[in-house]
Amino acid sequence: MSHSFELPIERITIPVLQRWKHDGRRVVMTTAYDAVTARIADPVVDVILVGDSVGNVCLGFDNTLPVSMAMMNHHLDAVARTRPRALLVADMLFLSFHLRPEETIRNAGGFLQRGADAVKLEGGAKRAEMVRALVDSEIPVMGHLGLTPQSVNVMGGFKVQGRKADDALRLLDDAHRLQEAGCFALVLEGIPSELAARATESLTIPTIGIGAGPGCSGQVLVLHDVLGLTEGHRPKFVRTYADGFQLLQDALSRWVADVRNGRFPAPQESYGIPEDIANAIEKLDAQQPNLM
């Protein structure tokens, strides 16, 4: 059975997402790293993630591990200033939630003070203590299982997870442990479709898939991937809806050509001088020709 839904006028909140899980309304999440991308995304998506993917998407790193709290705060501030209608989620960084609950709460609470509605953190049962500490401190938490980019070195690269029986069972157990710890939603990344569908059916909280097939409660992709703004190899799970990189480079090239050929700026891009000022300058020039 197909469903047709209109975008809500109301601001998206966690109870709204939970209601949509019950109603079968799919959640759509994308990333934003600055005010421009936030304004592009906000009218049409439900959740905006200020992801640590800013490291490899915008900052030139090979992965997310070098991203610092200062970097994340900078990008979160820019997105939060747009006051998005979408639920605003900020990624907890590598080592920002691994050491002590007190430090985890401080880092996550700082994101909420900057305007985030919730935080997202990677990992399963071994992160349940941190999830509980955050939830007990009134900080909403979105979990993240499967291909967790902060574990790239342990996984030996960005590889599909949960293809072995033990791994699949562990992921299902992790999903339920995170739900019990208080997560309001889970991102399922890079796992077989059947496993993601099984997890989604067995949980009461929404799941948001990326490379996890169509059986999740919703989907997330990096905005730059959707718009085709990145060069090079794209993961199998990415579908691009525009050749944004080439489109923008072509537009820039046309401007460069206009500058070099003297076609820019034209009169419509230039400012004129008021007639009385022009007359005064002409009169001054005539009286004192060596002044000008």
Side-chain angles (χ1 to χ4, degrees), residues 24-46:
R25 196 268 200 207
R26 292 181 183 270
V27 177
V28 182
M29 181 165 80
T30 193
T31 56
Y33 309 115
D34 54 32
V36 172
T37 51
R39 290 188 176 110
I40 291 171
D42 187 48
V44 293
V45 303
D46 308 312

Side-chain angles (χ1 to χ4, degrees), residues 74 99 108 141 155 161 164 174 182 189 196 203 218 220 249 283:
H74 175 78
L99 303 178
V141 181
M155 294 178 176
Q161 302 297 303
K164 296 180 180 179
D174 282 343
E189 179 171 0
L203 295 168
V220 56
Q249 192 173 73
K283 184 177 180 180

Side-chain angles (χ1 to χ4, degrees), residues 184-197:
F184 70 88
L186 290 182
V187 169
L188 301 177
E189 179 171 0
I191 64 174
S193 299
E194 298 84 355
L195 179 58

Side-chain angles (χ1 to χ4, degrees), residues 262-273:
R263 295 191 295 265
F264 179 89
Q268 62 267 30
E269 291 101 18
S270 304
Y271 298 101
I273 194 169

Side-chain angles (χ1 to χ4, degrees), residues 236-272:
K236 177 182 179 179
F237 56 77
V238 169
R239 183 187 296 179
T240 59
Y241 288 79
D243 189 0
F245 186 92
Q246 192 62 53
L247 179 67
L248 295 178
Q249 192 173 73
D250 287 348
L252 189 64
S253 296
R254 292 197 301 273
W255 172 68
V256 169
D258 282 349
V259 171
R260 289 176 177 161
N261 292 322
R263 295 191 295 265
F264 179 89
Q268 62 267 30
E269 291 101 18
S270 304
Y271 298 101

Side-chain angles (χ1 to χ4, degrees), residues 1-34:
M1 179 179 178
S2 63
H3 297 272
S4 178
F5 298 95
E6 294 182 0
L7 286 171
I9 298 174
E10 62 186 315
R11 192 171 187 278
I12 309 303
T13 63
I14 290 168
V16 169
L17 297 184
Q18 293 170 335
R19 186 174 73 240
W20 287 348
K21 159 81 173 182
H22 179 268
D23 294 343
R25 196 268 200 207
R26 292 181 183 270
V27 177
V28 182
M29 181 165 80
T30 193
T31 56
Y33 309 115
D34 54 32

Side-chain angles (χ1 to χ4, degrees), residues 54 147 182 211 224 232 265 272 288:
V54 67
L147 196 171
H224 291 60
Q288 304 179 47

